[in-house]
C-alpha cells in the first residue's frame, strides 16, 4: 500500500519535472528530478539495471523532510527517473528517511535499509532527533516498509552510543551469506565511530563491535560510512563533519576520508594503515560504492559541499547533482579513481594535438565546449629550466572563466572558480599537492554543463567542483610562463 504522503510526492514530481528543460540540467550526471537532492543512497545493481536512490526533498530547493528519489540506468551515466521510493510516512520516520543502502535478498526482492528520523520534544522545549535503522522491501519500483521497524535502535547499542547520531547504514553480504552493515555513530567523546552489525537473514540485526573509533582525529561525527575489500586490502570511506585541514588534506570542512587497512573479521575490528582525502576539489560528499556485475568497485558522491549550498543559480528549478561514477583501485597504498569506462562510449569528435610547444597564451582549433572529456600531458623543455606555471581557462567568454593552474616548483595544482559567475563570497578555490617531477603532469578534465571533474595522474587524485557559468561561455585557453610541451586529446560528450 502506497501512503498518501508518497502518493503526493509522486504526483508532485511528475508534474514539476516538466517545468525543467533537459538543457538546463547536467547532461551525463544525475541531478534531482525536482527540488533538492543530497547524498546518494542504495547504489546497487538489481534486475538488470543500476539503481541509484538519493536524499530528496521534492517540494523545495532547500533541504527538508527527506524522501528517497529513485533513478535507474544501463550505463551509470544516462539515468531514467522512477517514482520516489520512500516518504516520511511512519511514526518512526515521520521527520525523514535519511541515507542508507540497498541489497538483493535471496528470494529476489530488493532490501532497503535507511535511517528513520523522529524529532522528540525535550523538557527544555527544544527538539532532538531520534535516529533508528529501518527496512523496506520491494520490486525495484514500489517498496513496503517492514512491519517490525525499526530493526536497530538505542536498545541495540552499547552504553555511551548516541541515539541522536546513529545513521546511514551500508549493507553488504559476505561470501558465506552473512549480512553485514556499518553505520555512523557518536560516542561519548563527541566525535565519531563506525558500528558493525550482522544478520543471518537481512531482517534480524545484531550489534557486533565498534569497527573503528575516530577519537577526535578526523573531524567529529562520521557520516555515510562504506566498507569494502579492494585489491587485497579493506577500505573505509566515510564523510566526517567539521574537519580541520592538515597540510594539503581535508580542506573541505565536511569532507571525505579514505582509510586503507586490514579487517579482523572475527573480532570485527578494522586497523588503518593509510589515510587520505577522497576528493581534493570543492564539491564532493557522502560517497557510496557498489560492485558492478563485472567486479568493479564503483563510487558515486554528492557533488556538493554543505558549506557552499548558497552558491546556486537563482532561476534553476533543481538543486543537487551526483559526481561521475568512479572505478576504484589501490595503487602504491593509495586510493585511485577513474571515471567509469562507460563514459568512453559517449565520446565523439576527437581532436588530437601532439607536442604543442608554447610559452604564452594559446588557443587550439576545435578545443572548446561545455560537455567534454579532455586528456592533457605536460612536460618541460629538455635542457631548460622547468616552466614556472601552466594554466588552462575553461567555461570562458569575455566575462567569465574557471581556471586550473599548476606550479611545478611546489607541485601545487589549483582550481579557481572565482570568476565563474558567482555573486557569493564563499570558497571558490582549492589548492592541492600533486605528484610531479620535472614539470610532468597528466590531467583528465571532464566538463558537464554545471561541473568540472579533474583526474590527476591516471586517477591518483580527483578534484570536483560545480559551476553555474552561463552555457555560452565555452572557450578554452592555455597559458604558460616558461616553455611547456603539451599533448592533448579532446572529445565531445554526447548524451
Ligand atoms: C550527509 C547526511 C547524512 C544523513 C543525510 C540527511 O550528508 O547528513 O548523515 O543521513 O545527510 O539528509
Amino acid at each position: 500500500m502506497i501512503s498518501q504522503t508518497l502518493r503526493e510526492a509522486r504526483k508532485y514530481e511528475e508534474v514539476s519535472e516538466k517545468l525543467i528543460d533537459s538543457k538546463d540540467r547536467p547532461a551525463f550526471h544525475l541531478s534531482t528530478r525536482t527540488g533538492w537532492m543530497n547524498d546518494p543512497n542504495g547504489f546497487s545493481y538489481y534486475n538488470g539495471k543500476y539503481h541509484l536512490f538519493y536524499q530528496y526533498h521534492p517540494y523545495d530547493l532547500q533541504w527538508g523532510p527527506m524522501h528517497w528519489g529513485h533513478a535507474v540506468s544501463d550505463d551509470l551515466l544516462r539515468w531514467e527517473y522512477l517514482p520516489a521510493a520512500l516518504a516520511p510516512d511512519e511514526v518512526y520516520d515521520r521527520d525523514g528517511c535519511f541515507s542508507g543502502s540497498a541489497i538483493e535478498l535471496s528470494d529476489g526482492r530488493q532490501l532497503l535499509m535507511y535511517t528513520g528520523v523522529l524529532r522528540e520534544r525535550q523538557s527544555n522545549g527544544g527538539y532532538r532527533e531520534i535516529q533508528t535503522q529501518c527496512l523496506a522491501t520491494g520490486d525495484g519500483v514500489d517498496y513496503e516498509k517492514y512491519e517490525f521497524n525499526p530493526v536497530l535502535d538505542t536498545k541495540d547499542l552499547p552504553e555511551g552510543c548516541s541515539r541522536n547520531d546513529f545513521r546511514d547504514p551500508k549493507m553488504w553480504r559476505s561470501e558465506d551469506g552473512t549480512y553485514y552493515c556499518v553505520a555512523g555513530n557518536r560516542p561519548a567523546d563527541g566525535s565519531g565511530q563506525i558500528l558493525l552489525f550482522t544478520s543471518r537473514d537481512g531482517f534480524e540485526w545484531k550489534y557486533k563491535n565498534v569497527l573503528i573509533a575516530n577519537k577526535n582525529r578526523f573531524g567529529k561525527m562520521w557520516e555515510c560510512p562504506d566498507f569494502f575489500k579492494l585489491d587485497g586490502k579493506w577500505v573505509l570511506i566515510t564523510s566526517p563533519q567539521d574537519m580541520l585541514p592538515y597540510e594539503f588534506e581535508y580542506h573541505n570542512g565536511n569532507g571525505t576520508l579514505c582509510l586503507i587497512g586490514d579487517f579482523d573479521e572475527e573480532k570485527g575490528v578494522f586497523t588503518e594503515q593509510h589515510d587520505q582525502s577522497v576528493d581534493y576539489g570543492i564539491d564532493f560528499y557522502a560517497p557510496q560504492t557498489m560492485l558492478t556485475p563485472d567486479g568493479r568497485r564503483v563510487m558515486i558522491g554528492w557533488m556538493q559541499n554543505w558549506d557552499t549550498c548558497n552558491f546556486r543559480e537563482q532561476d534553476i528549478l533543481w538543486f543537487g547533482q551526483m559526481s561521475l561514477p568512479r572505478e576504484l583501485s589501490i595503487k602504491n597504498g593509495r586510493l585511485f579513481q577513474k571515471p567509469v569506462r562507460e563514459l568512453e562510449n559517449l565520446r565523439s569528435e576527437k581532436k588530437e594535438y601532439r607536442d604543442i610547444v608554447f610559452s604564452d597564451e594559446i588557443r587550439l582549433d576545435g578545443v572548446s565546449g561545455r560537455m567534454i572529456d579532455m586528456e592533457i600531458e605536460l612536460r618541460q623543455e629538455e635542457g631548460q629550466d622547468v616552466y614556472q606555471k601552466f594554466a588552462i581557462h575553461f567555461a570562458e567568454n569575455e566575462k567569465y572563466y574557471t581556471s586550473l593552474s599548476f606550479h611545478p616548483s611546489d607541485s601545487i595544482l589549483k582550481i579557481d572558480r572565482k570568476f565563474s559567475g558567482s555573486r557569493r563570497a564563499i570558497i571558490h578555490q582549492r589548492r592541492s599537492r600533486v605528484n610531479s617531477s620535472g614539470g610532468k603532469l597528466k590531467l583528465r578534465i571532464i566538463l558537464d554543463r554545471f561541473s568540472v571533474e579533474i583526474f590527476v595522474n591516471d586517477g591518483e587524485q580527483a578534484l570536483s567542483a560545480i559551476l553555474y557559468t552561463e552555457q555560452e561561455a565555452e572557450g578554452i585557453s592555455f597559458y604558460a610562463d616558461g616553455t611547456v610541451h603539451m599533448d592533448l586529446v579532446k572529445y565531445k560528450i554526447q548524451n
Side-chain angles (χ1 to χ4, degrees), residues 123-141:
S123 50
N124 65 6
Y127 283 93
R128 290 209 79 174
E129 282 179 359
I130 307 302
Q131 303 188 336
T132 57
Q133 313 320 318
C134 306
L135 300 174
T137 52
D139 59 1
V141 180

Side-chain angles (χ1 to χ4, degrees), residues 367-402:
V367 177
S368 65
R370 284 292 285 277
M371 283 153 59
I372 63 165
D373 184 351
M374 179 161 66
E375 292 168 338
I376 293 176
E377 280 194 60
L378 306 174
R379 298 180 294 283
Q380 71 176 97
E381 170 88 26
E382 295 264 337
Q384 264 188 27
D385 285 347
V386 68
Y387 57 91
Q388 276 87 52
K389 182 178 172 181
F390 162 84
I392 168 171
H393 290 189
F394 49 86
E396 179 190 47
N397 62 9
E398 304 74 45
K399 238 170 140 175
Y400 305 119
Y401 69 92
T402 290

Side-chain angles (χ1 to χ4, degrees), residues 103 171-180 199 234 263 265:
I103 205 169
M171 296 181 285
W172 74 95
R173 219 168 160 187
S174 71
E175 272 152 27
D176 70 3
T178 310
Y179 293 83
Y180 283 85
S199 168
W234 279 85
F263 179 39
E265 283 194 64

Side-chain angles (χ1 to χ4, degrees), residues 296-344:
R296 291 173 288 160
R297 179 59 63 173
V298 173
M299 174 182 75
I300 196 162
W302 182 39
M303 198 155 41
Q304 188 61 53
N305 181 320
W306 277 112
D307 289 333
T308 61
C309 287
N310 284 335
F311 173 44
R312 50 172 71 200
E313 200 46 54
Q314 294 314 322
D315 50 6
I316 288 183
L317 295 175
W318 56 271
F319 184 87
Q321 56 179 314
M322 296 298 168
S323 72
L324 275 176
R326 302 168 181 180
E327 293 177 19
L328 302 184
S329 60
I330 296 180
K331 276 187 207 142
N332 312 321
R334 277 187 66 87
L335 183 74
F336 271 63
Q337 305 167 51
K338 280 184 170 184
V340 282
R341 58 197 68 167
E342 284 82 349
L343 186 62
E344 285 152 40

